[in-house]
Amino acid sequence: MKKFLNLGLQPLANSYIKKKNLKNKEKKFKLEVGFNNKNYLVSIANIIPKEKMFNNEYPYKSSESKTMNKSFKDLTKKIKKKYKPKFVIEIGSNDGVFLKNFKKNSIVGVEPCENLAKITRKKKYKTFSEYWNLKLAKKITSVKKANLIYSANTLSHIKNLDEIFKAINYAMSKNGVLILEDPSLLECIKNVAYDQFYCEHIYVFSTIALKEVLKKFDLQIFDIENIKTHGGSNRYYIKKKINNIYKIKNNVKKEIQKELKFGLHKFSTYKKFESKVKKSKKKLLNTFLKLKNKEIKIIGYGATAKSCTVLNYCKIGTNFIDYFYDTTSYKIGRYLPGSKILIKKYKKLSKKNVDVAFLGAWNFKKEIFNKEKNFIKEGGKFITHVPVPKII
Ligand code: TYD
């Protein structure tokens, strides 16, 4: 792997700090990103043991977002009609945002974070709070194999992809379909969304890289959808090579051509990205400085893991942002890692107490702008850093 980007010393992105621990020294690690020119994988260099990140304290709940709820609901409708799956496995079932669209006896969830697995188990969905691997695949599919395996925003968090796909290959029936969904590297690079890189996002996948990884396991991408979630993601439909039911669609070739045209197979593309990231940092800091000089009150909106990368890389803290608003109960009253900005319970924005809000959850811009229509009408503004830092 050849490194191309250094995002400095970073704390664990999802370890929100309790007030009583504010004075404790935080563990930090070097966040560097590299490119493997053999299989085109882009990944972070310094990988944190999974148990430190995905445990009983995992704060992220997918079902708290309208956008994600709708995205998963629409997808399930489509795949039920298209594939009529009898037995489904979801890898990374979180709090059941996808699971809940299926009958209880037709789906099994895999979710190593016990606090989340508990939620779906309570709703009578069979959920294994274990990491996905061959041993677990054998346990789950000892009687019948799965004809659909689904995993969204999960595989990019797992280091050993070979183990993952070995287990998927074992668990999936001959004519089964695997659907993967993760942020798209092309969108990330195009949008200078360097905050897609944080401790949990070990990989940001491109189609060309995924194709290389799948090759070893005789798995093939036969269909692709570009979707809007998480700042631009790809949904890959994958089959076994021996499965002749599904023809490889033209859009797979097109997506690959698009990525090659952009240069995702070349190291020089990533060096260009690095220089854009540096410029983005300067511009974002200037934007904050200008507003602060005018004594304008700035808060943060959406205390995302992504904003942890931005705030710590750009050294933005309480010097610029008074506090963050977030809807996640777990985060409220805690402080963002590194920057130590307080997270408050979300209240509708009003010009009476806020002038400008930094969009930590820029990937939900549409949902947020819709919610804050009045604030925008009153002349309230947002700062975003994607694709270029600006006030909108
Ligand atoms: P997410 O997009 O999953 O980002 P990451 O994976 O980088 O953590 O997190 C979205 C966060 O934004 C989550 O903490 C909830 C918050 N949020 C709000 O506070 N209000 C909103 O209207 C939306 C859409 C999200």
Side-chain angles (χ1 to χ4, degrees):
M1 185 178 64
K2 241 167 118 180
K3 292 177 194 167
F4 61 84
L5 179 66
N6 181 354
L7 292 165
L9 273 183
Q10 296 271 354
L12 294 185
N14 268 319
S15 36
Y16 298 88
I17 313 166
K18 282 184 184 158
K19 192 173 182 180
K20 65 170 188 188
N21 297 332
L22 262 181
K23 292 231 161 70
N24 296 358
K25 200 169 177 274
E26 287 177 278
K27 282 207 184 87
K28 297 210 172 156
F29 75 105
K30 243 187 184 172
L31 182 59
E32 291 175 297
V33 191
F35 172 67
N36 179 332
N37 58 11
K38 287 207 182 79
N39 58 12
Y40 312 129
L41 272 172
V42 165
S43 60
I44 62 170
N46 204 341
I47 295 166
I48 309 289
K50 56 186 183 302
E51 295 77 10
K52 287 209 167 122
M53 302 186 281
F54 311 110
N55 47 40
N56 200 17
E57 286 259 298
Y58 196 65
Y60 182 68
K61 281 194 198 158
S62 309
S63 66
E64 290 193 358
S65 146
K66 252 195 209 161
T67 311
M68 296 312 284
N69 264 301
K70 185 170 180 326
S71 168
F72 289 122
K73 196 170 172 194
D74 291 350
L75 172 70
T76 29
K77 242 195 229 159
K78 202 160 89 183
I79 54 181
K80 272 186 191 167
K81 209 168 135 195
K82 214 164 161 185
Y83 304 118
K84 302 185 179 58
K86 288 197 186 72
F87 179 43
V88 185
I89 300 174
E90 188 187 10
I91 306 170
S93 50
N94 199 275
D95 63 347
V97 69
F98 174 82
L99 227 63
K100 70 180 177 195
N101 299 294
F102 287 86
K103 281 195 194 127
K104 294 185 170 58
N105 57 3
S106 70
I107 189 161
V108 164
V110 175
E111 177 48 69
C113 304
E114 178 60 31
N115 59 326
L116 298 171
K118 238 192 245 165
I119 301 174
T120 47
R121 228 179 267 133
K122 222 179 188 173
K123 291 180 185 153
K124 303 273 183 299
Y125 282 96
K126 191 160 194 177
T127 314
F128 290 85
S129 38
E130 290 174 49
Y131 294 100
W132 174 253
N133 56 27
L134 189 58
K135 198 169 147 218
L136 181 62
K138 284 184 177 167
K139 188 155 82 182
I140 296 177
T141 58
S142 62
V143 179
K144 57 181 178 213
K145 301 256 176 164
N147 27 31
L148 185 86
I149 299 181
Y150 179 69
S151 188
N153 304 307
T154 301
L155 295 207
S156 50
H157 298 61
I158 307 175
K159 180 182 167 192
N160 191 347
L161 294 176
D162 281 1
E163 173 73 23
I164 295 298
F165 286 114
K166 211 192 284 169
I168 287 178
N169 226 352
Y170 180 90
M172 189 162 82
S173 65
K174 176 180 168 238
N175 290 330
V177 175
L178 162 69
I179 304 176
L180 299 181
E181 186 175 319
D182 275 288
S184 142
L185 183 66
L186 184 62
E187 290 304 310
C188 162
I189 303 286
K190 267 191 192 164
N191 290 324
V192 200
Y194 60 91
D195 52 347
Q196 288 289 10
F197 298 107
Y198 55 90
C199 55
E200 288 178 18
H201 279 183
I202 295 171
Y203 303 101
V204 178
F205 294 120
S206 60
T207 312
I208 52 171
L210 194 60
K211 191 179 163 208
E212 284 303 310
V213 178
L214 293 171
K215 223 195 252 170
K216 267 196 255 173
F217 300 94
D218 283 333
L219 293 167
Q220 294 175 320
I221 303 169
F222 68 92
D223 194 3
I224 293 189
E225 283 165 27
N226 301 129
I227 54 173
K228 296 231 155 58
T229 51
H230 286 292
S233 298
N234 280 337
R235 185 177 283 149
Y236 303 96
Y237 294 76
I238 296 157
K239 67 175 189 68
K240 291 190 174 179
K241 212 170 162 188
I242 46 166
N243 170 348
N244 292 318
I245 301 176
Y246 310 108
K247 292 260 153 342
I248 298 180
K249 282 198 178 171
N250 211 23
N251 62 13
V252 179
K253 205 163 126 195
K254 276 195 182 149
E255 188 67 27
I256 290 174
Q257 277 166 351
K258 215 162 67 178
E259 292 183 359
L260 293 175
K261 198 169 165 214
F262 195 84
L264 289 191
H265 58 310
K266 288 189 294 199
F267 187 70
S268 56
T269 306
Y270 300 99
K271 283 309 281 180
K272 267 186 231 155
F273 172 70
E274 183 213 19
S275 91
K276 284 190 183 163
V277 172
K278 285 181 175 160
K279 277 187 200 140
S280 173
K281 173 181 180 173
K282 264 192 201 147
K283 199 154 182 204
L284 185 64
L285 275 171
N286 274 337
T287 311
F288 271 104
L289 262 174
K290 268 188 204 152
L291 292 171
K292 266 291 140 185
N293 287 341
K294 289 188 206 156
E295 291 186 10
I296 284 172
K297 185 182 163 83
I298 311 169
I299 68 150
Y301 197 114
T304 56
K306 288 189 285 294
S307 39
C308 175
T309 294
V310 180
L311 300 174
N312 290 296
Y313 172 62
C314 299
K315 306 216 164 25
I316 294 167
T318 46
N319 49 344
F320 291 124
I321 299 179
D322 292 9
Y323 54 85
F324 261 77
Y325 271 152
D326 201 284
T327 48
T328 316
S329 47
Y330 174 90
K331 295 181 187 176
I332 296 163
R334 297 189 183 222
Y335 295 74
L336 273 147
S339 62
K340 297 189 172 161
I341 305 172
L342 173 66
I343 304 162
K344 289 192 183 181
K345 188 175 174 177
Y346 163 74
K347 262 202 276 179
K348 241 185 175 33
L349 297 189
S350 155
K351 265 293 267 172
K352 275 186 211 119
N353 33 33
V354 179
D355 299 310
V356 181
F358 168 67
L359 256 185
W362 57 269
N363 46 319
F364 289 114
K365 187 168 131 193
K366 212 169 148 198
E367 183 175 335
I368 292 171
F369 279 21
N370 206 9
K371 218 153 101 182
E372 307 303 340
K373 264 191 259 163
N374 287 338
F375 173 67
I376 296 169
K377 247 192 224 154
E378 291 168 349
K381 299 279 181 203
F382 287 90
I383 304 179
T384 184
H385 66 287
V386 175
V388 276
K390 62 178 174 222
I391 300 171
I392 41 177

